[in-house]
């Protein structure tokens, strides 16, 4: 409860900061990736991901895809997206289905790694279920790590404030957490919002060879 409350408030402040950053200002930047491919998929994909089997039966694979930190300036460094896919039945396959549980701050690769525990058999048979850890999260690098002292933020607050002073303490601590996080991750914090995550989805789509 304590962690959820402060994380929610801090997330609001971080989202507000990102809304004023380069992630939004580059909305009209090209989403075309260097791995772009045209035409419909034939059930195979490019070698961009360097897939490796996850488990013994070969049904699940993991790989990586490099995408620009800033799509408006693609030479300025990259994120290495951690991507996973649960393969469809080759005889029934329709295409790829990208899945993302949302966030903020939560990876999505598990939704493909353990797809057989999440989705119905018809969906598993007909679609490659593709999940990834969005930029800044999970096994994608660089990842965002906001603080080395979580106790300061999560163990020192009254999560049931009784007065304006205690409520102000929660808000002030959330602001401090957000500011520390933004400072510690200043080189990438402006590029982890929804707009660039959507561009990453399109880059994954293109690298898979899907139209």
């Amino acid at each position: 409860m304590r962690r959820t409350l402060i994380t929610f408030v801090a997330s609001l402040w971080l989202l507000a900061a990102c809304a004023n950053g380069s992630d939004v200002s580059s909305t009209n930047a090209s989403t075309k990736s260097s791995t772009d491919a045209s035409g419909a998929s034939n059930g195979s994909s490019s070698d961009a991901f360097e897939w490796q089997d996850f488990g013994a039966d070969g049904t699940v694979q993991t790989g990586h895809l490099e995408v620009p930190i800033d799509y408006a300036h693609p030479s300025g460094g990259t994120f290495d997206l951690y991507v996973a896919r649960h393969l469809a039945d080759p005889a029934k396959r329709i295409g790829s289905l990208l899945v993302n549980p949302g966030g903020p701050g939560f990876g999505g690769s598990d939704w493909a790694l353990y797809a057989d525990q999440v989705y119905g058999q018809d969906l598993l048979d007909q679609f490659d279920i593709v999940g990834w850890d969005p930029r800044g999260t999970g096994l994608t690098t660089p990842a965002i790590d906001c603080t080395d002292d979580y106790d300061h933020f999560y163990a020192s607050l009254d999560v049931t404030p009784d007065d304006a002073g205690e409520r102000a303490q929660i808000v002030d601590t959330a602001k401090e957490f957000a500011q520390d996080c933004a400072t510690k991750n200043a080189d990438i914090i402006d590029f982890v919002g929804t707009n660039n995550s959507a561009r990453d989805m399109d880059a994954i789509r293109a690298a898979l060879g899907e139209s």
Side-chain angles (χ1 to χ4, degrees), residues 136-137 142-150 177 180-186 188-189:
T137 74
I144 288 181
D145 186 10
C146 289
T147 181
D148 296 322
D149 183 14
Y150 282 93
F177 181 87
D180 287 357
C181 192
T183 300
K184 188 174 181 180
N185 300 278
I188 59 174
I189 196 68

Side-chain angles (χ1 to χ4, degrees), residues 13-179:
W13 282 95
L14 278 172
L15 288 172
C18 285
N20 292 320
S22 299
D23 182 54
V24 173
S25 64
S26 59
T27 297
N28 294 323
S30 172
T31 61
K32 186 176 179 63
S33 167
S34 60
T35 58
D36 199 5
S38 60
S41 171
N42 60 4
S44 63
S45 65
S46 72
D47 295 329
F49 298 93
E50 298 183 350
W51 297 113
Q52 296 184 352
D53 288 343
F54 180 88
D57 63 3
T59 302
V60 180
Q61 300 174 323
T62 61
H64 296 264
L65 183 68
E66 287 195 1
V67 295
I69 290 176
D70 182 357
Y71 277 88
H73 303 92
S75 62
T78 60
F79 279 101
D80 185 50
L81 300 180
Y82 179 71
V83 185
R85 67 174 176 177
H86 181 285
L87 294 171
D89 181 338
K92 300 178 180 179
R93 186 184 184 278
I94 294 174
S96 297
L97 178 65
L98 273 67
V99 296
N100 187 326
F106 189 75
S109 57
D110 282 358
W111 288 59
L113 294 175
Y114 308 106
D116 59 349
Q117 302 176 33
V118 180
Y119 307 102
Q121 193 59 50
D122 286 347
L123 200 65
L124 295 172
D125 286 343
Q126 297 179 69
F127 291 93
D128 293 342
I129 307 296
V130 181
W132 74 103
D133 292 346
R135 50 178 59 206
T137 74
L139 296 179
T140 286
T141 56
I144 288 181
D145 186 10
C146 289
T147 181
D148 296 322
D149 183 14
Y150 282 93
D151 285 344
H152 169 64
F153 296 104
Y154 295 133
S156 61
L157 296 174
D158 183 352
V159 297
T160 57
D162 299 314
D163 54 44
E166 291 181 350
R167 286 191 291 273
Q169 183 185 15
I170 291 176
V171 173
D172 290 344
T173 304
K175 289 181 180 179
E176 180 187 356
F177 181 87
Q179 183 58 56

